Amino acid sequence: MSLLLRQVELEEAVVDVRIEGDRIVEIGAGLCGSSRVVEARGGTLLPGLHDHHLHLFAMAAAMASIDCSESLDALATAPVNEGWVRGFGTASTPDRHDLDAVRSDVPVRVQHRSGALWMLNSRALAEVSSWLDGTADVERDKHGEPTGRLFRYDARLRAALPSTLPDLGGVVARLHRYGITGVTDATPDLSPAAVEALTALSGIRVTLLGGLTGPRKLLLRDHDLPTYDDLVQVIGGTHAAGRPVAVHCVTPESLLLTLAALREVGSVPGDRIEHAAVVPIGIAEALAALGLAVVTQPSFLRLRGDEYLRDLDREDIARLYPYRSLLDAGVRVAASSDAPYGDADPWRTMADAAARRTRRGRVLGPRERVNPVEVLTGYLSPPDDPGGAARRVEVGALADLCLLKAPLRSGEPQVRAVVVGGEAFEQP
């Protein structure tokens, strides 16, 4: 099958782009001879955007769940799905008794908006009791009974739940509306069934951090960090197996521990830091010296900034989700969403990186502001090199493309179509 994108704006010229199979084969004026034509009408053509850190199954689950960001009361009348009620997005941390007061007739689980904590009512605890262990991840009251709060318990909790994987068609369609043609799923320790489903997903290219190949996600639990020796051993073993690491670092402590371990074992191409939510002064240069990429989430400044101002130390707030200082130090940086915990819209994320404003209008770290075009460059960087040189629309390139309805410079971008592997998906 051949595809013709007619009259696209490409590098300030209006041209046609012809695609055969999954490759761009010709760029020029007045092209013809394709079996399908998409009229661009002067809209800018870009490489397809790549979100370098999100969670596809969690996005699908969130789309089918109850939004508790405003209140838990919505759980009271929520529909039951496979015997459970699932909520997400709350900033509060109710225990099982709090949830029982809202809904006690069926098992209820609610995910904290950070993604780091699950909260279960009593019926839900009874369902998964055989899967609870005695680690610090299961909070217990003074009598030794579980409170219903499970920290970083995703993999073990998942094993106790109904096993049907959610359909991802709606998630892919949503990502297409944003111009996204590829993603890096950052969920650690995926099951074989999940890996199979993600690698077979059509309409979008998927890189995994939780599979058996490619970068390996290391989730450092901030309330229970590994020892230095243990982390050195894990990173060294991962490198010896031919894989880079992608290390979850939210606190300064986890970041400093990771850098110390990487200095010990040495970094390899593809090593990356996920989040780097707080970067102490002088550490940007250390990240650059090790050749590490940073995958950051500017949308959290808008979504959670007012709470950061309330809860964090002033020193941490000054170094929160840095961007400009990392670029200036020579660190490769790519923005991402961490959806569903952050905003999946890359264009909104670009605006957030430039404004750095909370919902209430407070500015966090104005010196860390970056131009939206610089953030876009990160979205155009290759999946295996976040923050690297942007992919280009050129003959021979893979036909993963984002076509806008108007020139990029004209204002807020709207997507006319995406092309994935030569197949066009036109948007309403």
Side-chain angles (χ1 to χ4, degrees):
M1 177 177 174
S2 60
L3 173 68
L4 181 66
L5 306 179
R6 180 176 287 157
Q7 290 196 313
V8 304
E9 183 191 61
L10 182 61
E11 298 179 355
E12 300 184 356
V14 176
V15 296
D16 302 334
V17 174
R18 191 161 64 85
I19 296 163
E20 297 283 353
D22 65 354
R23 296 285 165 175
I24 297 171
V25 296
E26 191 174 7
I27 298 175
L31 302 182
C32 58
S34 296
S35 57
R36 182 178 177 185
V37 176
V38 174
E39 299 290 350
R41 303 183 185 92
T44 294
L45 183 66
L46 300 167
L49 279 62
H50 187 95
D51 189 320
H52 291 276
H53 183 122
L54 51 61
H55 305 271
L56 288 167
F57 286 124
M59 289 179 71
M63 291 171 68
S65 301
I66 301 303
D67 186 348
C68 298
S69 57
E70 297 295 330
S71 171
L72 295 172
D73 292 343
L75 296 170
T77 57
V80 179
N81 184 12
E82 293 189 303
W84 285 69
V85 168
R86 183 189 189 280
F88 74 100
T90 181
S92 63
T93 57
D95 64 14
R96 62 173 176 160
H97 304 296
D98 297 324
L99 291 175
D100 287 345
V102 179
R103 186 80 180 261
S104 61
D105 60 319
V106 295
V108 175
R109 69 187 191 274
V110 180
Q111 189 174 39
H112 191 267
R113 69 177 188 179
S114 67
L117 171 65
W118 282 100
M119 295 151 284
L120 279 62
N121 71 352
S122 296
R123 289 286 296 269
L125 278 173
E127 290 282 337
V128 304
S129 60
S130 63
W131 294 86
L132 301 184
D133 58 29
T135 70
D137 299 336
V138 179
E139 184 183 81
R140 298 178 183 271
D141 62 22
K142 63 181 180 181
H143 304 294
E145 296 297 320
T147 66
R149 301 187 184 106
L150 309 178
F151 295 88
R152 291 293 179 194
Y153 220 79
D154 297 69
R156 284 166 286 179
L157 183 59
R158 192 181 305 122
L161 297 174
S163 59
T164 304
L165 293 172
D167 180 75
L168 296 175
V171 174
V172 172
R174 180 183 176 192
L175 294 171
H176 283 175
R177 290 195 293 272
Y178 298 142
I180 293 173
T181 62
V183 299
T184 295
D185 188 287
T187 308
D189 304 321
L190 292 165
S191 69
V195 170
E196 182 179 2
L198 291 174
T199 53
L201 189 60
S202 62
I204 198 160
R205 296 192 188 275
V206 181
T207 299
L208 301 180
L209 300 186
L212 298 178
T213 61
R216 178 188 177 189
K217 174 77 171 287
L218 302 182
L219 180 57
L220 301 194
R221 300 175 181 177
D222 298 307
H223 66 285
D224 186 25
L225 289 174
T227 67
Y228 172 78
D229 289 340
D230 286 346
L231 187 56
V232 165
Q233 183 176 6
V234 170
I235 294 176
T238 302
H239 286 174
R243 302 178 63 185
V245 293
V247 190
H248 169 103
C249 295
V250 172
T251 63
E253 292 78 10
S254 60
L255 180 59
L256 294 173
L257 174 63
T258 298
L259 291 177
L262 283 167
R263 287 193 191 100
E264 173 76 17
V265 302
S267 58
V268 301
D271 281 344
R272 46 191 278 179
I273 302 296
E274 308 302 305
H275 308 301
V278 180
V279 180
I281 293 174
I283 297 304
E285 291 74 15
L287 291 164
L290 285 166
L292 302 176
V294 168
V295 179
T296 186
Q297 294 81 34
S299 72
F300 286 152
L301 297 169
R302 169 173 50 87
L303 298 174
R304 306 180 188 175
D306 293 307
E307 289 161 36
Y308 292 149
L309 286 167
R310 182 192 67 200
D311 298 336
L312 298 181
D313 295 335
R314 179 177 298 180
E315 182 178 341
D316 286 347
I317 290 171
R319 305 300 299 165
L320 195 62
Y321 287 101
Y323 211 127
R324 169 54 57 198
S325 61
L326 294 178
L327 290 176
D328 288 348
V331 179
R332 303 189 313 284
V333 185
S336 68
S337 68
D338 198 19
Y341 315 112
D343 195 330
D345 184 344
W347 308 100
R348 187 69 182 270
T349 298
M350 294 174 212
D352 288 337
R356 297 184 66 90
R357 290 186 182 276
T358 72
R359 292 186 192 271
R360 295 182 180 177
R362 298 283 298 276
V363 176
L364 298 178
R367 294 182 180 179
E368 295 292 349
R369 285 171 165 158
V370 288
N371 188 293
V373 174
E374 294 177 285
V375 186
L376 174 60
T377 299
Y379 277 104
L380 302 182
S381 59
D384 60 354
D385 186 18
R391 291 166 286 123
R392 293 171 53 87
V393 178
E394 57 189 2
V395 172
L398 191 64
D400 291 351
L401 304 166
C402 167
L403 175 61
L404 303 180
K405 291 183 178 180
L408 181 60
R409 62 185 176 277
S410 64
E412 185 175 347
Q414 293 182 300
V415 176
R416 180 180 298 282
V418 295
V419 179
V420 182
E423 183 179 1
F425 299 86
E426 296 190 67
Q427 302 303 298

